[in-house]
Amino acid sequence: MTARNVKVTVELSAAKAVRFDTTKGQATLRRQYSNCRYDKADAPTKAVCAFPGPLPAGAAYETDRPFTAAVAETGRQGLITYTVYPAPNTPADAQLPDSAPRGSGAPLGLRTVDGSLFTTYGRESAHGGVRFLTTRTQDRQVNGFNLKGQVGQTNDISVMDVNGYFEGDTYLTLPEGVSLGWHPSGEGHETLYCGYVDQKNRKVLCPAPLTDPAILRFRIDKRVEGAQGTISVKPDPEHPDADLTNNTAPITMEYVD
């Protein structure tokens, strides 16, 4: 995919650094360009590329060749994000060491483009992203899991599918004797937590994660022998699900005396 059409409104008297990232684990970068450093030699997910300056304020550029990613055999989609920094202002957490592996091909370059339709960014950085889909069919799957603890205890557990994350919302029916525990609100963290959609019937929705997996904060209210719930994920209406039999799995209980 090409990171393109980035307008920088600072005058860059030194090199410009561009950081590329892939997310969600379904895609990795190709180690292509010799002026780019990568976080690892095989299947990297981060790259920092440096371009010589100065580049005049108000000028618009795009990469002169595609910045591509490879999708895993079972992957259906990916996301390449990019952030542009003036090299002296690149934050420490966006850098890679000089010893990081470099690409094996010719340097990635920049070429000027018409910037009249571009959005103007602030003086420190510019950022964006390119999402891509494959034509592969989808097989959404879930693994069952165990809720463990003492009666009266509240615990957290990450809710993930067999690939380590969900592409969509996840639905739970809590085992009898279990309820949702209190979680913070108004602090920006509440979107990580599973919430009720039907409290009377113990129906719970766990949101699709943006970065981190959803958190189920549960309270064991009473001991109910043989109590069992379910975890399920709905098929994507836009992509056929190859196997609906693995879209639901059990939630079991383990009581600690």
Side-chain angles (χ1 to χ4, degrees), residues 19 21 30 32 64 70 92 99 105 110 112 117 157 206 211-212 231 240 250:
R19 175 186 169 121
D21 294 271
R30 290 177 175 160
Q32 296 170 279
D64 62 358
S99 59
L110 298 174
T112 58
L117 299 178
I157 188 171
C206 296
T211 54
D212 299 311
I231 175 174

Side-chain angles (χ1 to χ4, degrees), residues 88-174:
N89 299 342
T90 305
D93 61 0
Q95 299 181 24
L96 291 174
D98 289 338
S99 59
R102 293 181 177 268
S104 56
L108 181 68
L110 298 174
R111 60 188 174 209
T112 58
V113 293
D114 179 11
S116 61
L117 299 178
F118 286 37
T119 300
T120 300
Y121 294 92
R123 294 186 59 83
E124 294 301 320
S125 66
H127 57 86
V130 181
R131 184 177 297 278
F132 56 91
L133 296 172
T134 73
T135 58
R136 294 177 179 138
T137 58
Q138 186 180 56
D139 182 15
R140 289 188 174 177
Q141 306 175 44
V142 291
N143 276 337
F145 59 90
N146 182 260
L147 299 181
K148 181 178 179 180
Q150 296 176 329
V151 174
Q153 190 176 50
T154 298
N155 294 316
D156 288 352
I157 188 171
S158 295
V159 179
M160 297 183 293
D161 69 1
V162 294
N163 295 314
Y165 64 90
F166 280 115
E167 294 180 351
D169 294 335
T170 311
Y171 298 86
L172 310 181
T173 300
L174 297 177

Side-chain angles (χ1 to χ4, degrees), residues 18 61 121 132 198 201 206 250:
V18 182
Y61 297 88
Y121 294 92
F132 56 91
D198 181 353
N201 294 300
C206 296

Side-chain angles (χ1 to χ4, degrees), residues 198-249:
D198 181 353
Q199 186 171 355
K200 180 180 179 181
N201 294 300
R202 307 187 307 280
K203 303 293 185 182
V204 171
L205 170 65
C206 296
L210 296 176
T211 54
D212 299 311
I215 298 171
L216 173 65
R217 178 162 290 179
F218 65 96
R219 185 181 189 278
I220 302 176
D221 300 315
K222 61 181 179 180
R223 185 180 188 122
V224 179
E225 296 298 335
Q228 191 172 95
T230 58
I231 175 174
S232 62
V233 62
K234 293 181 179 180
D236 184 344
E238 297 182 1
H239 299 89
D241 196 315
D243 183 3
L244 294 176
T245 63
N246 54 22
N247 287 35
T248 300

